[in-house]
Amino acid sequence: MPELPEVETIRRQLAPLVEGRVLSLLEIADPRWCLPLAPEVVVDAVAGRRIERLGRRGKYLVWELADEVFLIMHLRMTGTLLYDPPPGTPYGRVRFGLDDGHELRFCDPRRFGTGELALGPAARDAFFAARLGLEPLDGELTGAALRRMARGRRAPVKAFLLDQRRIAGVGNIYADEALFRARIHPLRPAGALTGAQWEGLAQAVRETLLAGLAAGGATIDDFRHADGVAGAFQDEFLVHRRQGEPCGVCGTPVVKFVAAGRGTYACERCQPRPRVRRRA
Ligand SMILES: [Zn+2]
């Protein structure tokens, strides 16, 4: 699934191409995309409006349109937003026409991606307040903030990192990579981490996301840039999807196990597994 660096890569590519243009046409071929709203309602609200800014919050892409109308997209598992895709590009669900003759196509083989409408900044803020926590690259992500949120929580730290209501934009790839950089085992109970470990983890999350962004995101299955090019961060993974390969720090083979319900990768020498507490 595209995570923060992938969505931000698309945003940075598209922003200069769409900002200041008019969204002259919106064609919703798959009405499931904007449920519970009917496609006509979304089209009526956005078509013909000037695109003031293409923004991002967590893994959401936000079209900020004239008169404070916001179209909020989530790419989910397999969604890509392509600029002037070649004819015959499959799985198109939504077409965005610009007043300069160019177009964008939202292609999404598994059809989990969504488009939602917020009318006015208060509606937009309420939408995100209900769904998203700290924005990790905005300076809000500190060890102290994480430690406060995790106090008393026994869930594994990996589950904590994946919870979008705490930190927005981190998914399975960046959680594994950040925990490895911070030398913390994914199954450690979140509430048991020390202040120094939270500081290290906050820094590791930022560094990992920035490294992903610098590589144009990761392409494992479907993620593509707006011009159809794949990201390269998968070539730089330290542990994610590297089961059996030697850890770059200590040479111990990387192991795979399930944490927070997700396939998880770690070096159990650099990231010692928490001891199971036994009853006396
Ligand atoms: Zn290691």
Side-chain angles (χ1 to χ4, degrees):
M1 174 195 284
E3 304 181 29
L4 188 156
E6 288 75 35
V7 179
E8 179 63 15
T9 296
I10 288 184
R11 190 200 70 76
R12 288 183 183 182
Q13 288 188 316
L14 289 178
L17 301 170
V18 304
E19 288 177 353
R21 305 250 55 106
V22 171
L23 182 57
S24 48
L25 169 145
L26 184 73
E27 252 178 34
I28 302 173
D30 178 0
R32 218 174 77 174
W33 179 69
C34 54
L35 281 175
L37 293 179
E40 311 84 79
V41 173
V42 179
V43 171
D44 279 354
V46 308
R49 288 190 192 278
R50 192 181 128 93
I51 303 160
E52 307 287 359
R53 188 170 168 266
L54 189 64
R56 180 193 55 77
R57 176 82 167 89
K59 304 178 194 175
Y60 289 90
L61 205 53
V62 185
W63 297 75
E64 303 181 14
L65 305 171
D67 304 314
E68 302 187 319
V69 170
F70 302 92
L71 179 62
I72 303 172
M73 290 182 72
H74 200 301
L75 308 178
R76 297 289 169 197
M77 301 286 287
T78 58
T80 51
L81 194 55
L82 299 171
Y83 187 76
D84 288 340
T89 300
Y91 304 116
R93 296 180 70 200
V94 185
R95 195 158 77 92
F96 300 75
L98 304 176
D99 62 341
D100 59 1
H102 292 281
E103 68 162 61
L104 282 89
R105 196 88 55 88
F106 179 57
C107 296
D108 185 17
R110 293 187 65 182
R111 301 171 66 213
F112 289 128
T114 54
E116 293 171 81
L117 208 52
L119 303 178
R124 174 202 57 192
D125 294 348
F127 179 91
F128 288 129
R131 291 165 177 81
L132 300 180
L134 301 179
E135 191 61 38
L137 300 181
D138 283 1
E140 299 175 337
L141 183 76
T142 63
L146 295 181
R147 192 182 191 189
R148 214 175 308 122
M149 287 192 290
R151 192 163 291 151
R153 306 210 67 87
R154 299 216 298 252
V157 61
K158 172 142 180 191
F160 179 89
L161 289 181
L162 293 179
D163 184 348
Q164 300 299 299
R165 291 164 301 174
R166 302 189 183 282
I167 308 171
V170 175
N172 204 32
I173 296 172
Y174 295 91
D176 282 359
E177 294 290 295
L179 285 165
F180 173 75
R181 284 173 185 246
R183 301 173 73 95
I184 296 168
H185 196 282
L187 292 174
R188 284 287 303 274
L193 267 54
T194 65
Q197 285 176 316
W198 281 119
E199 286 301 335
L201 187 53
Q203 193 184 333
V205 167
R206 277 193 305 272
E207 284 174 4
T208 305
L209 293 173
L210 289 172
L213 202 45
T219 296
I220 290 173
D221 297 314
D222 299 276
F223 171 70
R224 291 289 181 277
H225 295 176
D227 55 6
V229 171
F233 192 55
Q234 65 281 2
D235 301 333
E236 298 173 30
F237 287 169
L238 302 174
V239 287
H240 192 74
R241 298 205 166 217
R242 294 198 53 220
Q243 183 181 13
E245 294 176 45
C247 164
V249 174
C250 74
T252 303
V254 170
V255 292
K256 181 183 183 186
F257 51 92
V258 173
R262 308 291 300 273
T264 295
Y265 301 81
C267 167
E268 292 196 313
R269 184 157 181 207
C270 292
Q271 302 161 267
R273 187 175 269 260
R275 281 192 298 270
V276 180
R277 250 204 319 219
R278 292 174 207 281
R279 283 169 172 274

Short mmCIF file of all heavy atoms in Angstrom, two decimals, residues 5 38 45 70 97 103 120 127 158 179 185 191 214 230 254 261 273:
data_model
loop_
_atom_site.label_atom_id
_atom_site.label_comp_id
_atom_site.label_asym_id
_atom_site.label_seq_id
_atom_site.Cartn_x
_atom_site.Cartn_y
_atom_site.Cartn_z
N PRO A 5 5.61 8.39 2.04
CA PRO A 5 6.56 8.81 1.00
C PRO A 5 6.03 8.60 -0.42
O PRO A 5 6.36 9.38 -1.32
CB PRO A 5 7.79 7.92 1.26
CG PRO A 5 7.68 7.54 2.69
CD PRO A 5 6.21 7.38 2.93
N ALA A 38 -23.39 9.97 -4.07
CA ALA A 38 -23.60 9.61 -5.47
C ALA A 38 -22.58 10.36 -6.32
O ALA A 38 -22.22 11.50 -5.99
CB ALA A 38 -25.02 10.00 -5.90
N ALA A 45 -20.05 19.22 -7.07
CA ALA A 45 -19.33 20.02 -6.07
C ALA A 45 -17.96 20.46 -6.57
O ALA A 45 -17.47 21.52 -6.18
CB ALA A 45 -19.18 19.22 -4.77
N PHE A 70 -13.03 20.64 -0.72
CA PHE A 70 -11.90 19.71 -0.63
C PHE A 70 -12.32 18.33 -1.12
O PHE A 70 -13.32 17.78 -0.66
CB PHE A 70 -11.41 19.61 0.82
CG PHE A 70 -10.99 20.94 1.40
CD1 PHE A 70 -11.90 21.73 2.09
CD2 PHE A 70 -9.70 21.40 1.22
CE1 PHE A 70 -11.52 22.97 2.61
CE2 PHE A 70 -9.31 22.64 1.73
CZ PHE A 70 -10.23 23.42 2.42
N GLY A 97 -10.19 15.86 -15.76
CA GLY A 97 -9.79 16.65 -16.93
C GLY A 97 -9.39 18.05 -16.51
O GLY A 97 -10.08 18.68 -15.70
N GLU A 103 -4.90 15.35 -18.62
CA GLU A 103 -5.82 14.64 -17.74
C GLU A 103 -5.07 13.74 -16.77
O GLU A 103 -3.89 13.39 -16.98
CB GLU A 103 -6.81 13.80 -18.54
CG GLU A 103 -6.17 12.63 -19.28
CD GLU A 103 -7.22 11.59 -19.69
OE1 GLU A 103 -8.13 11.95 -20.45
OE2 GLU A 103 -7.12 10.44 -19.22
N GLY A 120 -15.70 23.10 3.14
CA GLY A 120 -15.21 24.05 4.15
C GLY A 120 -14.11 23.46 5.00
O GLY A 120 -14.04 22.24 5.19
N PHE A 127 -12.81 15.75 9.50
CA PHE A 127 -12.53 14.49 8.80
C PHE A 127 -11.19 13.93 9.26
O PHE A 127 -11.08 12.76 9.64
CB PHE A 127 -12.53 14.75 7.28
CG PHE A 127 -12.22 13.53 6.45
CD1 PHE A 127 -13.25 12.71 5.98
CD2 PHE A 127 -10.91 13.21 6.11
CE1 PHE A 127 -12.96 11.58 5.21
CE2 PHE A 127 -10.63 12.09 5.34
CZ PHE A 127 -11.65 11.28 4.89
N LYS A 158 4.97 -2.16 17.11
CA LYS A 158 4.66 -2.09 15.67
C LYS A 158 3.19 -1.71 15.45
O LYS A 158 2.89 -0.90 14.57
CB LYS A 158 4.97 -3.42 14.98
CG LYS A 158 4.48 -3.42 13.54
CD LYS A 158 5.36 -4.09 12.58
CE LYS A 158 4.73 -4.03 11.18
NZ LYS A 158 5.39 -4.88 10.23
N LEU A 179 11.85 0.60 13.00
CA LEU A 179 12.14 -0.16 14.21
C LEU A 179 13.54 -0.77 14.13
O LEU A 179 14.25 -0.84 15.13
CB LEU A 179 11.08 -1.26 14.42
CG LEU A 179 9.74 -0.71 14.92
CD1 LEU A 179 8.63 -1.75 14.75
CD2 LEU A 179 9.84 -0.27 16.38
N HIS A 185 12.66 -4.21 18.95
CA HIS A 185 11.93 -5.35 18.41
C HIS A 185 10.45 -4.97 18.21
O HIS A 185 9.85 -4.36 19.10
CB HIS A 185 12.03 -6.55 19.36
CG HIS A 185 11.64 -7.84 18.71
ND1 HIS A 185 10.32 -8.19 18.51
CD2 HIS A 185 12.39 -8.84 18.17
CE1 HIS A 185 10.29 -9.37 17.88
NE2 HIS A 185 11.54 -9.78 17.67
N GLY A 191 4.17 0.47 25.74
CA GLY A 191 4.28 1.17 27.02
C GLY A 191 5.57 0.88 27.77
O GLY A 191 5.87 1.56 28.76
N ALA A 214 13.28 10.39 -0.66
CA ALA A 214 14.44 10.68 -1.52
C ALA A 214 14.55 9.66 -2.64
O ALA A 214 15.06 9.97 -3.73
CB ALA A 214 15.72 10.70 -0.68
N ALA A 230 8.42 3.54 -11.61
CA ALA A 230 8.39 2.91 -10.29
C ALA A 230 9.31 3.64 -9.31
O ALA A 230 10.29 4.27 -9.71
CB ALA A 230 8.83 1.45 -10.42
N VAL A 254 18.03 -12.03 8.59
CA VAL A 254 16.78 -11.34 8.91
C VAL A 254 15.67 -12.38 9.01
O VAL A 254 15.62 -13.31 8.20
CB VAL A 254 16.46 -10.30 7.81
CG1 VAL A 254 15.05 -9.74 7.96
CG2 VAL A 254 17.51 -9.19 7.81
N GLY A 261 -0.59 -8.37 13.15
CA GLY A 261 -1.32 -8.99 12.05
C GLY A 261 -0.67 -8.82 10.69
O GLY A 261 -1.26 -9.17 9.67
N ARG A 273 14.46 -9.73 20.97
CA ARG A 273 13.07 -10.10 21.21
C ARG A 273 12.74 -9.94 22.69
O ARG A 273 13.55 -10.29 23.53
CB ARG A 273 12.87 -11.55 20.77
CG ARG A 273 11.44 -12.04 20.80
CD ARG A 273 11.35 -13.44 20.23
NE ARG A 273 11.10 -13.42 18.80
CZ ARG A 273 9.88 -13.61 18.28
NH1 ARG A 273 8.84 -13.84 19.04
NH2 ARG A 273 9.71 -13.58 16.97
#
